[in-house]
Amino acid sequence: MQVTYDDLVHVGPGTIGGRYLRTFWHPVYRSEDLEAGTSTPIRILGEDFTLYRGDSGKAYIVAPRCAHRLTRLHTGQIHGDKIACLYHGWQYDGTGQCTFQPGEDERFTRNTKIAAYPTEEYLGLIWGYFGEGEAPPMRRLPDFERPGLISIMTPEYWPCNFFNRVDNATDGAHVFFTHNESIGRDSGVGSGAGAGHVGEMHSTETEYGLQTAMPFGPGTYYFHFLMPNANLLAATVGRLEGPPDAPMVWRAEVHFRVPVDDENFAEFTIFLCDLHGEEAARYEETLKKERERLGGDITKLTQAAGEAILAGRMTLQDVDRSYGVRYVFNIEDYVAQVGQGRLVDRKQERLGRNDQGTVMLRRLWLREMQNMIEGKPLKQWTIPANLVDMTQAMPSWEDAKAEGQREPAE
């Protein structure tokens, strides 16, 4: 059997792409959004689950329904580190074992169990492993364990296949066109400031996925694609989610594009900023106020503007001038990528020289899936340190700190 592009975009149980994705850990929720003693339904990789946090503070992922009458478990209550079904009070612990059934024989209780999934918290996100057998150790992100402020962007949910977004991870050329408006606002010289000559991109397979080099100003900028679905960007000096006049900070970022199902995905973004102590606390407060001002849900903001632009009711230049540069940047990507369609027939594409990274990314996926179905060893991807410093166009982490740089050079 020969795998095809169609196998990349289907993620449900039993699909080839879904089986491959299930060999990795995935972020499923932002830690700060799940309080102790609460639960919520989640949908990842075309399947439903129950996520809950026990009174101890530990998070668990179990099956979506009670084994008794199939009631949704997230509607129940938390007792200690167990979750009790709303319907008849059956209780389950974090391993899925039923521990209490009112009025039932103890042996019946011991023989009742639902699915449970390995769960960890790391860098402000809750992660789950949904594959078969014992979970592998979860890969770490060494660059994001440096001292500094970790900021977790409000997760976004977009109505298109996750590969629309993944394909963009090695596409540096789009920045000069798709993001004209946000770059123009960031530079203060109006829209269109980002347009310019696009040099030739060059992508290389690495121990972690793909490295794409892009000519940028006097040097080179690097995009790092972490297999199977993450995009790590080299550090820059810029703004995060704040208003247009928010302070400039040195930051690095990584984006995880996790399929909800074949036609929707969730994006979890981690920022690392070179801010510490009181300075970090003040900046966190700035971000909190900005999120509150905009309603707290970036998905609604992005979709409202993005869908209006796609429908022809407004343009990117009409986007509210009070929106921070990061939000405008997201709207631009939404229009370009959601506008392709929920599930895209890629046979209609005409790819050119600067699409090398996208072509290589797809080939990596196809190669690994082919090896999987043939029973061959899969490449064990590893994430090294110092990826965020790989740029000749921006100051390094150490240089920025040594110079006390917070604003771009005049």
Side-chain angles (χ1 to χ4, degrees):
M1 177 183 177
Q2 189 68 36
V3 298
T4 68
Y5 180 85
D6 285 344
D7 295 312
L8 302 179
V9 299
H10 296 294
V11 301
T15 64
I16 296 174
R19 286 170 53 198
Y20 182 61
L21 281 166
R22 283 168 174 78
T23 65
F24 297 87
W25 287 79
H26 297 281
V28 301
Y29 216 72
R30 191 167 62 164
S31 293
E32 65 185 80
D33 295 332
L34 187 69
E35 297 180 357
T38 64
S39 60
T40 186
I42 59 173
R43 184 169 176 79
I44 296 289
L45 301 174
E47 292 189 272
D48 295 317
F49 305 94
T50 299
L51 170 65
Y52 75 94
R53 192 184 294 283
D55 291 331
S56 71
K58 182 173 173 55
Y60 302 93
I61 300 173
V62 296
R65 300 180 183 276
C66 176
H68 181 208
R69 299 287 295 277
L70 306 183
T71 293
R72 297 294 295 272
L73 273 178
H74 75 274
T75 61
Q77 293 184 327
I78 307 300
H79 299 283
D81 271 26
K82 301 171 183 176
I83 187 167
C85 179
L86 168 74
Y87 206 1
H88 296 91
W90 286 23
Q91 291 185 19
Y92 302 87
D93 65 19
T95 71
Q97 177 62 52
C98 190
T99 59
F100 179 60
Q101 296 170 335
E104 296 294 342
D105 184 88
E106 184 177 330
R107 290 173 298 177
F108 186 51
T109 304
R110 288 198 303 267
N111 290 327
T112 302
K113 192 171 185 178
I114 60 175
Y117 304 86
T119 310
E120 289 192 28
E121 293 195 60
Y122 178 59
L123 294 177
L125 294 172
I126 301 172
W127 302 67
Y129 181 78
F130 306 98
E132 298 179 357
E134 185 176 353
M138 193 174 75
R139 292 180 300 171
R140 267 31 187 183
L141 293 163
D143 285 347
F144 291 81
E145 294 177 354
R146 300 179 181 190
L149 170 65
I150 288 289
S151 178
I152 311 300
M153 200 167 181
T154 307
E156 291 192 75
Y157 293 85
W158 288 14
C160 67
N161 187 266
F162 82 112
F163 235 91
N164 288 30
R165 194 78 164 118
V166 166
D167 269 340
N168 189 65
T170 60
D171 179 9
H174 88 284
V175 173
F176 298 99
F177 304 97
T178 304
H179 299 300
N180 279 355
E181 182 65 23
S182 56
I183 292 174
R185 294 187 185 191
D186 197 28
S187 66
V189 295
S191 63
H197 175 70
V198 180
E200 185 173 353
M201 311 290 145
H202 181 71
S203 294
T204 308
E205 182 174 348
T206 67
E207 68 269 34
Y208 54 84
L210 282 179
Q211 172 189 291
T212 300
M214 179 183 77
F216 187 83
T220 304
Y221 189 82
Y222 293 92
F223 299 84
H224 306 286
F225 179 74
L226 312 180
M227 283 289 284
N229 59 339
N231 188 27
L232 187 151
L233 301 180
T236 58
V237 177
R239 296 178 178 87
L240 289 187
E241 300 174 62
D245 60 349
M248 306 284 279
V249 298
W250 194 102
R251 77 345 173 50
E253 56 195 271
V254 62
H255 307 260
F256 293 87
R257 284 75 191 242
V258 183
V260 172
D261 50 37
D262 288 353
E263 297 189 354
N264 301 272
F265 76 89
E267 175 152 342
F268 299 91
T269 299
I270 303 172
F271 287 105
L272 171 66
C273 303
D274 183 22
L275 296 171
H276 312 269
E278 292 184 3
E279 189 178 23
R282 287 195 300 270
Y283 199 76
E284 280 190 297
E285 185 63 23
T286 298
L287 295 182
K288 179 182 177 181
K289 290 180 178 178
E290 179 67 2
R291 291 169 181 172
E292 291 174 350
R293 182 182 77 84
L294 296 173
D297 189 341
I298 189 173
T299 292
K300 291 181 180 178
L301 181 153
T302 302
Q303 286 195 0
E307 292 298 332
I309 293 168
L310 288 171
R313 296 193 300 271
M314 62 182 284
T315 69
L316 280 164
Q317 290 71 41
D318 297 326
V319 172
D320 193 325
R321 302 296 297 186
S322 73
Y323 288 177
V325 172
R326 170 59 53 179
Y327 297 121
V328 181
F329 202 91
N330 284 358
I331 293 167
E332 291 164 333
D333 274 331
Y334 184 98
V335 172
Q337 293 160 35
V338 174
Q340 294 175 344
R342 285 182 177 261
L343 276 173
V344 183
D345 180 7
R346 298 295 179 186
K347 293 188 293 294
Q348 298 184 44
E349 292 179 327
R350 298 189 65 180
L351 302 182
R353 183 174 57 188
N354 271 346
D355 297 306
Q356 179 199 56
T358 299
V359 172
M360 289 186 67
L361 186 156
R362 296 177 187 178
R363 287 177 177 171
L364 282 188
W365 262 78
L366 293 172
R367 182 192 73 196
E368 294 301 300
M369 291 193 301
Q370 191 69 45
N371 287 341
M372 180 186 70
I373 65 174
E374 293 178 2
K376 297 178 181 178
L378 300 178
K379 183 168 180 175
Q380 299 304 301
W381 308 98
T382 59
I383 304 174
N386 302 318
L387 290 180
V388 301
D389 293 318
M390 290 186 60
T391 172
Q392 302 167 28
M394 297 291 177
S396 72
W397 173 274
E398 292 300 329
D399 287 345
K401 287 196 293 185
E403 297 170 9
Q405 182 168 335
R406 290 294 179 272
E407 297 288 340
E410 294 294 337

